[in-house]
Amino acid sequence: NAGVMQNPRHLVRRRGQEARLRCSPVKGHSHVYWYRQLPEEGLKFMVYLQKENIIDESGMPKERFSAEFPKEGPSILRIQQVVRGDSAAYFCASSLGQGDEQFFGPGTRLTVL
Amino acid sequence: DAKTTQPPSMDCAEGRAANLPCNHSTISGNEYVYWYRQIHSQGPQYIIHGLKNNETNEMASLIITEDRKSSTLILPHATLRDTAVYYCIVRPYLNTGNQFYFGTGTSLTVIP
């Protein structure tokens, strides 16, 4: 009964590089959410996806950030040309259906040097 | 926009009940109250949710006032492992965005 899996758990990038964060939802869940937590702050919603569709990306920066949840494989959060301000913990969550409780993964801690 | 107000921190003696309050005076009729917690550096963990009736599960109890403008999460016998930040969230069950808005939460410290 695997929960939400995220990898890598820790990621170090230099300014200007790309970061790819992966999230495998709970088996059978088709709703995926990404959140960002800056140091000493609460979680902030970024994007909500349902298989192959972006439902709500109101919390995602307009530039450099993108997300996908393909028909096969994990959800990917991609950050291009990373800057130091992107350093944060990125959490993925999944739910069985709309409205159901969300189960969170362990997070990916991104450090931009 | 968290729509909830929680005390920033609380202490509780180990073995005693921890009562965590939450104000949500602008809650709408179709909004549920959810509680999550985040143990240091880990992903948030779902605890419980309710609409207007009190709810209980193996982790906690949720008491919602009759006017639904506030609620209390009760951990009946707090242990050191319950030390965490507890988030109270209000959200419609069927929300197009389906995201949870986390505020700053209450940092609960269970003291031996």
Side-chain angles (χ1 to χ4, degrees):
Chain A
N1 186 19
V4 176
M5 310 281 283
Q6 289 187 250
N7 68 82
R9 294 292 304 278
H10 300 274
L11 182 62
V12 178
R13 286 287 179 267
R14 296 191 181 279
R15 281 179 296 171
Q17 292 184 319
E18 177 180 287
R20 280 182 181 246
L21 288 64
R22 295 175 189 77
C23 169
S24 295
V26 173
K27 188 176 181 180
H29 287 190
S30 59
H31 301 256
V32 165
Y33 321 83
W34 286 92
Y35 294 80
R36 176 167 66 174
Q37 187 171 33
L38 295 170
E40 307 304 322
E41 294 188 14
L43 280 82
K44 304 293 184 187
F45 166 79
M46 298 182 73
V47 62
Y48 160 41
L49 309 101
Q50 188 179 2
K51 278 293 185 181
E52 300 185 271
N53 294 305
I54 295 175
I55 307 301
D56 182 352
E57 57 183 345
S58 59
M60 198 145 75
K62 294 289 186 287
E63 303 195 353
R64 303 188 298 108
F65 285 72
S66 62
E68 62 177 12
F69 187 18
K71 186 176 181 181
E72 301 291 338
S75 175
I76 306 288
L77 179 68
R78 182 183 177 204
I79 311 172
Q80 294 178 290
Q81 300 174 344
V82 296
V83 301
R84 287 213 174 115
D86 297 332
S87 294
Y90 292 83
F91 291 98
C92 169
S94 73
S95 68
L96 180 61
Q98 189 183 31
D100 293 329
E101 61 265 31
Q102 297 178 13
F103 295 88
F104 284 78
T108 293
R109 275 143 192 86
L110 172 66
T111 301
V112 179
L113 301 178
Chain B
D1 185 8
K3 298 183 67 174
T4 62
T5 303
Q6 299 177 253
S9 63
M10 291 181 63
D11 292 339
C12 177
E14 187 179 16
R16 304 295 294 269
N19 298 291
L20 291 90
C22 179
N23 287 323
H24 30 79
S25 58
T26 60
I27 192 170
S28 301
N30 66 338
E31 289 181 319
Y32 282 66
V33 180
Y34 290 79
W35 283 84
Y36 279 77
R37 73 180 181 184
Q38 187 176 24
I39 297 171
H40 181 62
S41 298
Q42 298 180 20
Q45 177 188 23
Y46 166 79
I47 301 173
I48 199 168
H49 75 281
L51 181 63
K52 55 183 179 180
N53 297 321
N54 298 337
E55 302 287 344
T56 296
N57 62 21
E58 65 278 4
M59 289 183 68
S61 295
L62 174 60
I63 308 299
I64 303 174
T65 58
E66 193 168 343
D67 63 8
R68 303 210 321 122
K69 292 186 177 181
S70 65
S71 61
T72 301
L73 178 74
I74 301 172
L75 307 178
H77 305 287
T79 70
L80 298 179
R81 287 176 294 181
D82 292 322
T83 293
V85 178
Y86 287 76
Y87 296 98
C88 170
I89 301 162
V90 296
R91 189 183 70 101
Y93 185 74
L94 290 179
N95 180 0
T96 302
N98 212 35
Q99 64 275 17
F100 285 92
Y101 288 103
F102 289 80
T104 52
T106 296
S107 177
L108 174 69
T109 301
V110 179
I111 303 168

